[in-house]
Amino acid sequence: MLRSLVGSEMCIRDRVRVVLNKSDSVDPQQLLRVHGALMWSLGKCLNTPEVVRVYVGSFWDEPIDQKGMCNADLFEREKTDLINDLKSLPKGSALRKVNEIVKRTRLAMIHAHIIGHIRNQMPSMFGKESKQKEIIENLADIFNDVRIANNLTPGDFPHMGEFKAKLEGYNGSFKDLPGPSKSKILRVNEALEKDLPYLIKMVPGMQAPSHSSGGAEFNPFDAPEAKINMSTIDAHQMVDYQKVFSEVSSGKPKLGGNVVAPYLSKEFPKVPRELLSKIWELSDIDKDGALDQPEFCVALHLCHVITINGADVNLPNTLPLSLMPPSKY
């Protein structure tokens, strides 16, 4: 049943909550085994990059069984986390809808770039048929050329096998495909950079407070708690985060986990290791195992928020669009 439920393309993490109920009916050692077996089974069913969260407890009106009494505090904390998670669903639903708009918009823009590039590769007079075959055979090179020329993210590109099948089934000439429209591409970029982030701010709880530095240099690590918002990075914070990246990277375009992990652990000792792991997952937007400057800035910001507001801050399951760097749209 669970396999059929997750067979669609919907993001399972945003729509399903897993609860291990009646956990008080077994002793702690048995509960550990049951939880491990459940996580292993879920890993076979849920095709997600992150381990799914399982809420452990006894969710009914009866008193806790004596077998699980020693886990009573754990059950109470898990219950609180689950309630807070459910309370956040309305805002999460709105964010998912906006993120889906962003995803489709980026995909449409990349599709236009690819189609325009293919059209420009076609000869005007002779050799069209052989050129089409060559384009289909070298589609991977075309994808890479489009990515480099337009500074696009590899993860946003369509599935190459499906795209190749569509091209092979196309009955006309690639020369007849629509050409790229610079004005439309610019309008789409404007929507991604301005319109959609503005739309995010309309979601309850996502509006960032105004910040005034009074002309003085702003240090985000000395800022008062009231001026730190998880959902947005203001211009002053971004400048300081970028300076940190330049110092740590020594000119390198990306930082691997072997550099980021010890740096964050040293600079943010108040951030627990499990939260640092979650921050890495949120910040590694490209999922390439390294952080470039925009991704590193996101990681610094989240660590800063937790340091100021405490380790009980609830990090989102997916990176909010308001924190998504424009280069990752």
Side-chain angles (χ1 to χ4, degrees):
M1 179 179 178
L2 186 58
R3 289 180 184 274
S4 62
L5 175 64
V6 302
S8 63
E9 296 180 356
M10 297 188 303
C11 181
I12 190 65
R13 287 188 59 86
D14 292 338
R15 290 169 170 80
V16 172
R17 301 298 184 269
V18 181
V19 175
L20 181 56
N21 197 16
K22 298 184 179 180
S23 300
D24 60 334
S25 61
V26 294
D27 60 45
Q29 185 178 17
Q30 290 175 318
L31 179 59
L32 181 63
R33 293 173 179 172
V34 171
H35 183 269
L38 176 61
M39 296 299 293
W40 184 86
S41 299
L42 289 174
K44 298 291 184 179
C45 299
L46 307 182
N47 185 23
T48 58
E50 301 177 32
V51 178
V52 66
R53 170 67 187 274
V54 175
Y55 295 95
V56 180
S58 181
F59 302 95
W60 62 338
D61 295 332
E62 297 297 325
I64 296 178
D65 192 290
Q66 289 299 321
K67 291 182 179 179
M69 185 59 69
C70 57
N71 287 326
D73 291 340
L74 170 65
F75 296 158
E76 189 63 29
R77 292 196 300 269
E78 289 286 283
K79 178 181 178 181
T80 301
D81 288 347
L82 177 58
I83 292 175
N84 291 334
D85 191 5
L86 294 177
K87 287 180 178 179
S88 69
L89 285 179
K91 183 177 72 175
S93 176
L95 288 175
R96 283 196 301 271
K97 292 177 182 178
V98 177
N99 285 333
E100 185 64 23
I101 294 175
V102 173
K103 178 182 177 181
R104 296 189 180 192
T105 302
R106 291 161 64 181
L107 184 60
M109 182 179 65
I110 291 176
H111 184 86
H113 280 303
I114 296 173
I115 293 299
H117 184 82
I118 290 176
R119 183 181 185 275
N120 292 337
Q121 297 296 309
M122 292 296 294
S124 301
M125 299 292 292
F126 306 105
K128 294 182 179 180
E129 185 175 349
S130 59
K131 185 61 177 179
Q132 288 190 187
K133 293 181 179 179
E134 179 185 339
I135 288 175
I136 294 175
E137 292 176 357
N138 300 319
L139 188 59
D141 294 334
I142 290 178
F143 273 31
N144 191 50
D145 291 342
V146 171
R147 180 185 64 82
I148 295 175
N150 300 282
N151 193 26
L152 301 173
T153 303
D156 292 332
F157 276 68
H159 188 274
M160 188 175 301
E162 296 178 358
F163 201 92
K164 180 178 292 188
K166 293 290 185 181
L167 290 178
E168 291 173 342
Y170 185 69
N171 294 324
S173 170
F174 291 170
K175 190 66 177 178
D176 298 330
L177 294 172
S181 173
K182 292 184 178 180
S183 61
K184 292 182 179 180
I185 293 295
L186 289 175
R187 181 66 189 93
V188 171
N189 280 326
E190 182 180 355
L192 289 171
E193 294 177 1
K194 298 180 180 180
D195 298 341
L196 290 173
Y198 176 77
L199 188 61
I200 276 288
K201 294 181 180 180
M202 298 175 65
V203 178
M206 299 301 294
Q207 179 65 46
S210 60
H211 172 76
S212 176
S213 62
E217 184 177 358
F218 175 67
N219 186 339
F221 299 99
D222 294 333
E225 178 178 354
K227 293 184 178 180
I228 299 176
N229 185 283
M230 181 189 296
S231 305
T232 56
I233 303 176
D234 65 35
H236 300 282
Q237 291 172 318
M238 182 59 72
V239 170
D240 284 314
Y241 295 157
Q242 291 172 346
K243 289 180 180 178
V244 174
F245 178 84
S246 298
E247 295 173 358
V248 177
S249 65
S250 301
K252 296 179 181 178
K254 291 192 175 186
L255 297 174
N258 60 329
V259 176
V260 176
Y263 175 82
L264 295 182
S265 299
K266 178 182 177 182
E267 295 297 322
F268 301 96
K270 294 183 180 180
V271 182
R273 185 175 180 85
E274 59 269 18
L275 288 183
L276 286 175
S277 177
K278 184 67 177 291
I279 288 173
W280 173 271
E281 294 172 354
L282 291 171
S283 304
D284 187 13
I285 302 170
D286 298 338
K287 303 303 178 187
D288 58 357
L291 303 184
D292 57 18
Q293 185 193 72
E295 294 172 326
F296 185 76
C297 291
V298 172
L300 280 181
H301 182 69
L302 293 177
C303 287
H304 183 209
V305 170
I306 293 175
T307 299
I308 298 298
N309 298 337
D312 58 343
V313 172
N314 290 323
L315 292 175
N317 289 329
T318 57
L319 188 68
L321 179 60
S322 56
L323 282 181
M324 185 71 69
S327 61
K328 305 299 179 181
Y329 287 150

